[in-house]
Amino acid sequence: MKFSYNWLRDLVPFDQSPEALADILTSLGHAVDGIDTVGAAWTGIVVGKVLECAPIEGSDHLSLCRVEAGRDEALPVVCGAPNVAAGQTIAFALPGARLPGGFEITSRKVRGVLSHGMICSERELGLSDEHKGILVLPNDLPVGTPLEEHLAPRDWVFDIDITFNRPDCLSHLGIARELSAKLRISLNLPLTGGLSRQQTNDVLASGALGVGSLPLEIRIEDTQHCPRYTARLVEDVTVASAPLWMQDRLRAVGLRPINNIVDITNFLLHETGHPLHAFDYRLIEQGRVIVRNAAEGERFTTLDGRERLLTAEDLLIADPVKGIALAGVMGGLNSEINDATRDVLIECAVFEPTGIRRTSQRLGLVSDSSRRFERGVDPDATPYVAARAAWLMAELAGGRPVEEALDVQPAAFQPRLVSFRPSRGRSLLTLDLDDAAMASHLKALGCEVESQSSGDGTERLSVTVPSWRHDLNEEADLIEEVARLEGYDAVVPAVRSQLPLVRDPAQDRSRRRVSQIKHAMVQLGLREAIPWTLVPVSDGSGSKANADAHRLINPISDDLAFLRASLLPGLLQAAVRNFNQGHRMIRLFEWGRTFEKAGNDSTRPVERLKLGIILAGYLREKSWGDAGCNWTIHHVKGLALDALRLLDVDNVSQIDYLVPEGFSTGATLSRGETGTSAIVGHYGALKADLARRFDADFPVWYVEFEGEPLLGASPIGTTTYHPLPRYPAVLRDLALVVEKGVPAGRVEDLLQRTGGELIVGARLFDLFEGGGVGDSRKSLAFHLIFRSHDRTLTDGEVDKLVNGMVAAAKLEFAAELRG
């Protein structure tokens, strides 16, 4: 969320620089992700006055203006804006001025007329994207003065990461409270017509609100989802532009100014953190507001012009005839503020977070209001915020606030009481703080602290938590607050742990093994991907894995409603994203869990560890001397076997070419002897139609291993050094003729087993079919390497080993030695 340095300084008069303030906020647990400098990015622009404006003959849109700019004579200026008119106060760029982006203004001829300078729009000044017309300034600005004295003063905008448990900090007032507590500087709480927040709450009157012909009645039908509704009326407003200072504040936090009434509600949202809504009172039937549940299937058009289909779970603000706002999310198009609005109804309510979150997610409608309501707002702030809105509308829109406010609250707010033991705080934090110092920290945060009698002789404090701190529920929370304000760097490391630390050897081994698995993948040239564990209703896999996906009871959204049953969808999405960014050599892996249904028990998913590898694009980078090449089934098989070799998974043989579901070609890897083997994994090429469901219009290869065999393959020990071989190798080539259905991998495994310790390599280098071999048979030629670590092998020894290999191949595969 964005925060303005100048805005915070108005609330807490600190002296720290923006950089120093960022360090303080970070130390308080509010990480500052960045600081942007905003404000006037121009030179030579002044406040000007259009004295005359007349159309240029022969042009359908250009006007010749005479502009007073604080010089001796008015300057002739050609302007093409449709809204330029005599009498306007405008932003005027003198000749020699520089606009944002470095564009320099010069005197030049337009349609034969010499134009000296330019009348600027908001976009030309870098204030917004508005460029349909020139920027019209208030008439009371002194002509000829630099524009930056009145518009877009220099400011610093902090991008702060607010954690979910601190909704009170989603406002400038919330961050100001934090700085006030840390720096011990009094908070300048904005007033409401001269009254403080407490005074504003004290003068509330109950009963119907009304003056003359403006009655108002509030009825809450669902008090569980709307525990409080405060309303104020402001008569005779004039809808116009907000003052420049308010527009500057809104632009600083990324909002576009609209008009004074709407801008006031947006301004207070970012100042106090409490959402408001302004209705055109004349568009509310009978002056009656009803907070009710929507009817099932009721239709409602929100401010963005879209018709929404509601359910009985949605909370609606309505009048006796129609809905006028989707509670806590967005107002209705049928009661919005417009140029003809004269009387304004201000809504400042409290809505139950779960209901707002459910409606927002179901409709896919997220707003600044819903973000705050679904985290929780200050239940005691509505009178103050509504009163401040009414006061600002009186000051900036010329309205007359109705003195009395209507505050409907079926059950009064009860502050939370927490018992706090200073001795417990000292014990946990190892801080040498006395009771008074701890109490001082808590009071600085807005807590009320009183001594509490205790029968066990332990000093206790009774702490009343302020209404805006939903996160302070127990003693440990208060202890953490003391540490935060004192400074985490003041906490001394404990010499001895008060908790028993017992090593879990199995867990340690598993952790080291996972690290070894990931390092092995990096050795193979792969990069780790970390996709979502949650997937949409349809993950696009088109496989049985999708049917086995386990649905969450209370999903975050429909896009994250299922636990994944496969690693493939996430890795494929990552591959497509990288491919679209121009990467043409994709090698990604993920080590993670999948979740499948356990038979008929849909409440207990079965978790399985998997290692997934996705490959696409070039096998190696292309260069001027190397055209590169694409992946083939042989490359993928080699990578899969290399991965198993690096991970010490032994006794793995390719048992068949049964193509896995969703693959156009591929094979299955197993461990153990034929007939009793267990599947270790599979590899292959994805079907083109499956890949296209993820927008992948390129060949995709996928390898997946079961996680448990990898975890338990072999114990992790120290790496053993083997010296380089001293004795020469003996090389032989062996060609065997076998049936076409015999996999080459099985023949290679047989040669390795038969060769025993003396064979150090067996590699297939040729496959021949046809000719004199026969239609149903094929010739497999292997390159064999023999070596002993303690002697030079003789030809006789090697011949004996080769003959044994031929005999074993003949016995198992009916193989024949090719002459």
Side-chain angles (χ1 to χ4, degrees):
M1 181 176 169
K2 297 185 182 298
F3 294 85
S4 159
Y5 176 85
N6 293 341
W7 199 339
L8 290 172
R9 198 170 184 179
D10 287 347
L11 298 171
V12 183
F14 50 79
D15 296 325
Q16 281 76 7
S17 67
E19 292 74 17
L21 193 69
D23 290 339
I24 293 172
L25 290 170
T26 301
S27 72
L28 289 170
H30 308 299
V32 177
D33 294 334
I35 305 176
D36 293 325
T37 303
V38 299
W42 60 71
T43 59
I45 300 179
V46 299
V47 176
K49 188 83 170 181
V50 180
L51 302 179
E52 298 176 3
C53 181
I56 294 178
E57 186 176 352
S59 173
D60 59 352
H61 70 286
L62 295 178
S63 301
L64 178 61
C65 305
R66 288 182 61 247
V67 177
E68 181 185 355
R71 297 196 169 186
D72 295 337
E73 296 181 359
L75 299 174
V77 178
V78 176
C79 181
N83 65 327
V84 65
Q88 291 174 332
T89 301
I90 46 87
F92 184 64
L94 294 164
R98 285 189 177 274
L99 297 179
F103 182 74
E104 184 176 355
I105 303 299
T106 60
S107 297
R108 60 192 181 96
K109 278 191 176 183
V110 180
R111 290 294 181 96
V113 178
L114 188 61
S115 178
H116 297 278
M118 185 177 74
I119 304 175
C120 301
S121 68
E122 291 187 21
R123 185 166 75 172
E124 288 160 344
L125 294 173
L127 299 176
S128 73
D129 291 330
E130 180 60 47
H131 65 285
K132 294 180 180 178
I134 61 169
L135 171 63
V136 181
L137 302 174
N139 287 325
D140 57 353
L141 298 185
V143 174
T145 56
L147 184 63
E148 57 265 27
E149 293 182 4
H150 314 285
L151 182 66
R154 187 174 180 82
D155 196 0
W156 295 265
V157 177
F158 296 86
D159 188 1
I160 303 179
D161 186 13
I162 304 298
T163 55
F164 195 84
N165 68 318
R166 293 301 306 273
D168 59 299
C169 289
L170 292 172
S171 68
H172 284 76
L173 183 56
I175 294 296
R177 285 193 182 108
E178 294 282 281
L179 294 172
S180 173
K182 179 66 175 181
L183 302 174
R184 293 300 198 268
I185 300 175
S186 297
L187 183 69
N188 292 334
L189 189 67
L191 301 180
T192 59
L195 298 179
S196 68
R197 168 172 166 163
Q198 188 57 51
Q199 289 170 328
T200 301
N201 290 2
D202 290 343
V203 299
L204 278 177
S206 59
L209 167 69
V211 171
S213 60
L214 296 182
L216 182 64
E217 178 186 346
I218 306 293
R219 186 171 84 248
I220 303 177
E221 293 184 355
D222 188 346
T223 58
Q224 177 183 353
H225 291 97
C226 179
R228 190 170 194 175
Y229 194 103
T230 303
R232 293 294 299 260
L233 274 175
V234 182
E235 301 175 294
D236 298 329
V237 301
T238 299
V239 179
S241 296
L244 295 180
W245 67 265
M246 181 172 284
Q247 294 187 38
D248 287 335
R249 291 285 164 88
L250 293 176
R251 289 191 184 99
V253 296
L255 295 181
R256 180 176 63 87
I258 299 173
N259 60 54
N260 49 4
I261 304 300
V262 176
D263 289 353
I264 286 170
T265 62
N266 287 333
F267 174 81
L268 290 177
L269 172 73
H270 283 266
E271 180 185 77
T272 68
H274 203 113
L276 300 106
H277 189 70
F279 297 97
D280 186 327
Y281 174 82
R282 298 291 178 180
L283 300 177
I284 299 175
E285 297 287 340
Q286 305 172 28
R288 294 172 59 197
V289 174
I290 305 166
V291 184
R292 62 171 174 85
N293 292 103
E296 190 69 35
E298 184 173 354
R299 297 182 180 275
F300 178 71
T301 303
T302 47
L303 280 172
D304 57 4
R306 293 184 58 186
E307 186 179 69
R308 313 282 179 173
L309 185 64
L310 307 182
T311 71
E313 291 186 345
D314 299 321
L315 194 65
L316 200 63
I317 311 299
D319 63 23
V321 177
K322 61 186 181 302
I324 57 175
L326 193 56
V329 181
M330 186 174 286
L333 196 63
N334 55 14
S335 59
E336 71 171 332
I337 300 297
N338 56 74
D339 292 342
T341 298
R342 291 294 172 264
D343 304 315
V344 176
L345 168 63
I346 301 169
E347 169 196 281
C348 189
V350 177
F351 299 113
E352 190 268 331
T354 304
I356 300 299
R357 188 180 306 118
R358 185 183 299 115
T359 294
S360 175
Q361 291 176 355
R362 186 180 60 79
L363 296 177
L365 183 58
V366 179
S367 64
D368 285 339
S369 293
S370 67
R371 288 191 188 97
R372 286 161 176 80
F373 277 124
E374 66 185 27
R375 294 188 181 194
V377 297
D378 183 352
D380 204 36
T382 58
Y384 162 73
V385 178
R388 178 148 171 76
W391 180 72
L392 283 173
M393 289 181 190
E395 291 289 312
L396 307 181
R400 292 183 293 107
V402 174
E403 292 184 2
E404 294 181 344
L406 189 61
D407 185 32
V408 181
Q409 187 180 19
F413 169 73
Q414 297 297 327
R416 192 180 305 109
L417 290 175
V418 178
S419 180
F420 176 71
R421 295 166 294 172
S423 59
R424 178 64 173 165
R426 284 187 287 270
S427 172
L428 289 179
L429 301 176
T430 67
L431 289 176
D432 188 17
L433 290 176
D434 56 25
D435 296 7
M438 291 189 177
S440 176
H441 283 317
L442 296 176
K443 289 177 181 178
L445 293 167
C447 299
E448 296 178 7
V449 182
E450 295 180 357
S451 296
Q452 184 182 44
S453 60
S454 174
D456 58 4
T458 303
E459 287 293 328
R460 294 177 183 269
L461 300 176
S462 177
V463 180
T464 303
V465 177
S467 57
W468 56 84
R469 291 299 300 271
H470 301 301
D471 59 315
L472 303 183
N473 298 299
E474 55 188 41
E475 184 182 47
D477 298 326
L478 299 181
I479 293 173
E480 183 179 2
E481 292 299 288
V482 170
R484 239 180 16 106
L485 289 190
E486 185 66 20
Y488 291 122
D489 54 349
V491 178
V492 180
V495 177
R496 292 179 57 191
S497 172
Q498 298 187 16
L499 299 174
L501 302 178
V502 179
R503 288 187 60 182
D504 184 343
Q507 189 178 58
D508 286 347
R509 183 196 179 283
S510 177
R511 189 182 299 113
R512 294 199 310 273
R513 180 61 176 173
V514 170
S515 178
Q516 187 186 48
I517 290 171
K518 292 184 177 182
H519 277 85
M521 296 304 101
V522 174
Q523 281 183 262
L524 293 172
L526 308 175
R527 294 189 176 186
E528 184 175 11
I530 308 178
W532 286 97
T533 304
L534 301 177
V535 295
V537 174
S538 174
D539 64 10
S541 65
S543 65
K544 184 177 74 67
N546 188 48
D548 293 339
H550 187 87
R551 183 178 178 86
L552 300 181
I553 296 175
N554 186 22
I556 299 174
S557 68
D558 286 342
D559 288 338
L560 301 171
F562 285 78
L563 289 167
R564 64 184 179 187
S566 171
L567 302 183
L568 174 59
L571 284 171
L572 189 49
Q573 287 173 341
V576 170
R577 190 178 302 114
N578 279 273
F579 204 87
N580 291 341
Q581 292 296 321
H583 301 291
R584 292 296 182 267
M585 196 173 77
I586 297 172
R587 300 178 172 198
L588 300 174
F589 79 91
E590 180 190 5
W591 171 266
R593 295 181 182 274
T594 60
F595 307 84
E596 299 176 11
K597 291 181 181 178
N600 296 326
D601 186 358
S602 61
T603 63
R604 290 180 173 271
V606 176
E607 297 186 30
R608 300 186 189 279
L609 282 168
K610 299 286 183 70
L611 174 64
I613 300 172
I614 199 158
L615 308 163
Y618 298 122
L619 178 65
R620 57 182 180 271
E621 289 284 5
K622 294 177 66 176
S623 68
W624 68 271
D626 184 359
C629 66
N630 295 319
W631 288 90
T632 67
I633 188 68
H634 306 293
H635 294 125
V636 176
K637 172 190 173 183
L639 184 141
L641 294 178
D642 282 346
L644 294 173
R645 176 181 54 79
L646 285 174
L647 295 174
D648 296 326
V649 180
D650 57 359
N651 197 18
V652 172
S653 59
Q654 182 177 306
I655 58 172
D656 56 47
Y657 283 97
L658 178 65
V659 179
E661 184 179 4
F663 289 70
S664 59
T665 183
T668 302
L669 294 169
S670 66
R671 184 183 187 188
E673 299 298 330
T674 303
T676 61
S677 60
I679 292 177
V680 173
H682 56 264
Y683 62 87
L686 293 184
K687 289 182 177 178
D689 60 341
L690 172 57
R692 280 195 295 269
R693 293 177 191 172
F694 292 84
D695 299 323
D697 55 357
F698 48 87
V700 178
W701 301 85
Y702 184 63
V703 183
E704 186 172 273
F705 295 113
E706 296 294 330
E708 293 303 329
L710 303 186
L711 277 180
S714 62
I716 299 176
T718 57
T719 301
T720 303
Y721 169 75
H722 294 282
L724 293 174
R726 295 177 56 191
Y727 299 98
V730 178
L731 309 179
R732 293 289 169 82
D733 290 338
L734 177 64
L736 297 173
V737 179
V738 296
E739 295 293 327
K740 284 187 176 181
V742 177
R746 291 186 60 190
V747 178
E748 183 179 309
D749 290 340
L750 176 67
L751 299 179
Q752 291 275 14
R753 293 197 307 270
T754 308
E757 295 181 354
L758 296 181
I759 186 168
V760 294
R763 179 175 59 85
L764 178 71
F765 71 89
D766 183 60
L767 168 65
F768 177 77
E769 295 178 347
V773 175
D775 294 338
S776 62
R777 295 170 72 78
K778 61 184 178 182
S779 171
L780 302 174
F782 295 89
H783 187 61
L784 308 178
I785 304 174
F786 300 90
R787 177 185 283 119
S788 172
H789 69 279
D790 57 3
R791 69 185 189 280
T792 299
L793 294 177
T794 65
D795 287 340
E797 289 179 287
V798 174
D799 290 342
K800 184 177 180 180
L801 289 173
V802 171
N803 292 334
M805 292 176 180
V806 174
K810 182 177 182 180
L811 181 63
E812 185 161 344
F813 304 116
E816 297 178 0
L817 183 65
R818 186 180 176 195

